């Protein structure tokens, strides 16, 4: 469906040329995934004698991503975030090891050497880089969630779980104890109290151990949320396909409908089901990567039964056996 919207802009009479700035909220027109907006500017002169004449700008287009494009973007974002979280966990582990090694190295020393101070400075820089990486991961996760919800309806339970994950990321970023340790270590570098530095390094190691546990937990929650979101999407796709197939079974019996059009629609449904089968494979893989996998059955026998009915529907339409095709379509829809 299409709709025309006219938005009047104000200009300053008698000023030529002039600039204008105009904001239009696209959410106000209820855009959905896959929709397209075409827009242009048009201006009229005030020639009252000969009649107003108008001039148009070029036609410009804004296209909302389709559901398939949104799913692809979400999948790519999820992979990127998981990879970055795994890298952050490795970095935390390295920092723990460096803190421990540096602490051991200074046990028998009476005071901090120039080299020791430089190593501690390097450690603090790496810790700062890690905090920035975590901030980036947190922002990417929030942006991904916003992008996904902008043109797509998301289950309220999943939205709530996403909010809880964002709170955990926030808590990770606001580790006051670790931030205080950074500050104290920085101040101690200008002093000669080696024992206090050792104490701070030991505390940093313990704090990083706690951070690693939190990151591990966040990563697992993220993977579980990714699984549940994709499961919800797959259920919706199957429901939609079932309704399309049921509708097609009724249209097949109506002799006024062209056979070629019915064949094409059946072919489209068959292709969409192939994509759903791929989604189910992806779900199975995601589930197996969890520390505590969900109870998940790919239902391979049911998939094969549906495939058989879909293929039979297509074959029957090719032979113009409409009643037989309609029965197979109805069976596929129910399954």
């Amino acid at each position: 469906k299409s709709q025309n919207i006219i938005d009047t802009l104000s200009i300053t009479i008698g000023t030529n040329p002039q600039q204008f700035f105009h904001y239009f909220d696209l959410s106000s027109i209820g855009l959905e995934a896959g929709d397209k907006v075409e827009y242009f500017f048009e201006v009229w002169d005030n020639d009252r004698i000969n009649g107003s004449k108008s001039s148009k700008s070029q036609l410009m287009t804004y296209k909302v991503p389709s559901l398939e494009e949104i799913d692809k973007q979400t999948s790519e974002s999820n992979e990127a975030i998981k990879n970055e979280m795994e890298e952050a966990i490795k970095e935390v582990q390295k920092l723990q090891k460096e803190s421990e090694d540096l602490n051991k190295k200074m046990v028998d020393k009476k005071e901090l050497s120039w080299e020791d101070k430089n190593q501690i400075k390097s450690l603090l820089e790496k810790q700062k880089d890690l905090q920035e990486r975590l901030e980036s991961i947190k922002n990417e996760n929030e942006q991904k969630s916003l992008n996904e919800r902008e043109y797509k309806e998301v289950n309220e339970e999943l939205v709530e779980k996403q909010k809880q994950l964002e709170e955990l990321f926030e808590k990770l970023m606001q580790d006051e104890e670790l931030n205080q340790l950074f500050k104290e270590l920085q101040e101690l570098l200008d002093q000669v109290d080696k024992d206090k530095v050792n104490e701070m390094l030991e505390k940093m190691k313990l704090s990083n151990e706690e951070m690693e546990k939190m990151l591990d937990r966040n990563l697992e929650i993220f993977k579980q949320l990714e699984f549940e979101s994709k499961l919800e999407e797959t259920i919706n796709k199957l429901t939609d396909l079932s309704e399309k197939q049921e509708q097609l079974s009724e249209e097949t019996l109506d002799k006024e409908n062209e056979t070629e059009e019915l064949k094409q629609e059946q072919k489209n449904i068959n292709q969409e089901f192939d994509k759903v089968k791929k989604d189910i494979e992806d779900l199975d893989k995601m589930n197996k990567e969890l520390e505590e996998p969900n109870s998940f059955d790919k239902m391979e026998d049911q998939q094969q039964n549906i495939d058989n009915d879909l293929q039979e529907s297509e074959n029957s339409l090719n032979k113009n056996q409409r009643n037989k095709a309609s029965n197979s379509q109805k069976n596929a829809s129910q399954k």
Side-chain angles (χ1 to χ4, degrees):
K1 63 182 181 180
S2 63
Q3 55 177 312
N4 295 322
I5 297 171
I6 298 174
D7 211 8
T8 304
L9 312 185
S10 60
I11 61 171
T12 304
I13 303 298
T15 303
N16 186 27
Q18 62 181 275
Q19 289 182 317
F20 68 89
F21 298 91
H22 182 65
Y23 170 80
F24 182 79
D25 184 4
L26 289 172
S27 65
S28 67
I29 56 175
L31 289 180
E32 297 178 357
D35 284 349
K36 182 172 72 172
V37 176
E38 293 180 333
Y39 60 99
F40 59 88
F41 296 96
E42 187 170 14
V43 63
W44 285 263
D45 65 22
N46 59 351
D47 189 345
R48 295 177 181 175
I49 298 173
N50 300 308
S52 293
K53 297 175 289 298
S54 68
S55 179
K56 279 185 182 179
S57 70
Q58 67 184 61
L59 189 67
M60 290 163 278
T61 303
Y62 173 79
K63 186 178 182 301
V64 178
S66 65
L67 282 176
E68 191 171 343
E69 288 169 333
I70 293 171
D71 289 346
K72 185 182 177 184
Q73 289 170 3
T74 300
S75 179
E76 289 172 354
S77 296
N78 283 340
E79 283 305 308
I81 292 170
K82 284 189 294 184
N83 289 338
E84 287 173 31
M85 288 178 73
E86 286 165 358
E87 286 299 314
I89 289 170
K90 290 178 185 175
E91 191 61 35
V92 173
Q93 291 168 343
K94 282 171 64 179
L95 285 170
Q96 288 176 48
K97 181 73 166 55
E98 284 187 41
S99 300
E100 187 175 9
D101 290 346
L102 189 55
N103 207 352
K104 286 178 181 177
K105 177 184 170 185
M106 293 192 300
V107 167
D108 298 326
K109 290 188 175 184
K110 291 182 180 179
E111 58 183 37
L112 296 175
S113 67
W114 177 84
E115 183 185 357
D116 294 333
K117 288 183 178 181
N118 276 346
Q119 282 187 285
I120 294 171
K121 283 179 181 177
S122 173
L123 193 64
L124 290 172
E125 281 299 316
K126 289 176 183 177
Q127 195 82 48
K128 182 182 175 185
D129 290 343
L130 175 63
Q131 291 295 108
E132 289 174 357
R133 170 177 270 182
L134 295 177
E135 179 73 30
S136 174
I137 293 171
K138 179 180 80 74
N139 292 338
E140 282 182 55
N141 179 55
E142 289 174 0
Q143 189 59 52
K144 181 214 70 162
S145 178
L146 286 172
N147 291 343
E148 192 175 15
R149 296 203 303 262
E150 188 172 8
Y151 298 111
K152 180 178 172 184
E153 189 173 340
V154 180
N155 183 299
E156 279 302 316
E157 186 179 344
L158 295 178
V159 172
E160 186 56 38
K161 287 183 179 180
Q162 172 64 27
K163 286 180 182 176
Q164 290 170 7
L165 180 61
E166 288 171 8
E167 287 170 6
L168 288 173
F169 271 116
E170 196 66 43
K171 186 178 178 182
L172 191 62
M173 294 305 305
Q174 294 176 347
D175 190 336
E176 293 301 326
E177 183 180 346
L178 189 59
N179 291 333
Q180 183 63 29
L181 281 173
F182 295 159
K183 186 178 177 182
E184 289 180 23
L185 252 178
Q186 191 72 51
E187 291 171 354
L188 284 170
L189 285 178
D190 299 324
Q191 301 175 19
V192 289
D193 194 336
K194 186 263 302 182
D195 292 334
K196 282 189 177 180
V197 170
N198 278 25
E199 184 184 337
M200 290 297 105
L201 287 171
E202 180 61 27
K203 285 183 179 179
M204 180 181 283
K205 174 177 169 289
L206 295 173
S207 290
N208 278 330
E209 285 176 359
E210 185 62 31
M211 182 185 287
E212 182 187 353
K213 290 176 185 176
M214 290 178 71
L215 272 170
D216 275 327
R217 182 179 62 172
N218 284 14
L219 179 57
E220 188 66 11
I221 292 172
F222 185 90
K223 288 180 177 179
Q224 177 64 28
L225 185 56
E226 180 187 27
F227 172 82
E228 291 180 21
S229 296
K230 190 162 186 72
L231 181 62
E232 181 79 15
E233 288 167 12
T234 307
I235 290 168
N236 291 339
K237 287 177 184 177
L238 281 167
T239 303
D240 183 54
L241 269 181
S242 175
E243 291 170 356
K244 284 181 180 177
Q245 189 67 91
E246 176 68 26
Q247 180 65 31
L248 186 60
S249 73
E250 295 172 5
E251 291 173 1
T252 299
L253 293 175
D254 188 344
K255 294 181 180 179
E256 292 185 7
N257 293 319
E258 293 289 335
T259 303
E260 287 304 314
E261 291 179 6
L262 297 171
K263 283 161 64 176
Q264 184 57 51
E265 183 59 30
Q266 184 61 61
K267 187 175 180 179
N268 293 342
I269 289 174
N270 292 7
Q271 289 172 346
E272 286 184 54
F273 185 64
D274 286 338
K275 291 178 183 177
V276 170
K277 289 192 294 181
K278 172 67 169 55
D279 288 336
I280 294 172
E281 284 298 322
D282 291 342
L283 276 166
D284 189 51
K285 183 181 176 183
M286 283 180 192
N287 193 45
K288 286 175 179 174
E289 289 174 356
L290 291 168
E291 290 178 10
E292 296 182 9
N294 303 278
S295 175
F296 181 72
D297 183 1
K298 291 195 290 183
M299 300 185 176
E300 291 174 298
D301 289 342
Q302 288 94 324
Q303 287 188 49
Q304 187 57 56
N305 288 337
I306 293 169
D307 261 334
N308 293 341
D309 284 330
L310 293 176
Q311 192 57 55
E312 183 60 39
S313 302
E314 197 168 354
N315 293 340
S316 297
L317 283 171
N318 286 333
K319 296 174 184 177
N320 205 27
Q321 297 173 336
R322 290 205 177 198
N323 286 339
K324 190 175 180 181
S326 179
N327 286 333
S328 297
Q329 290 164 342
K330 193 172 285 291
N331 288 337
S333 169
Q334 291 168 350
K335 291 173 185 175

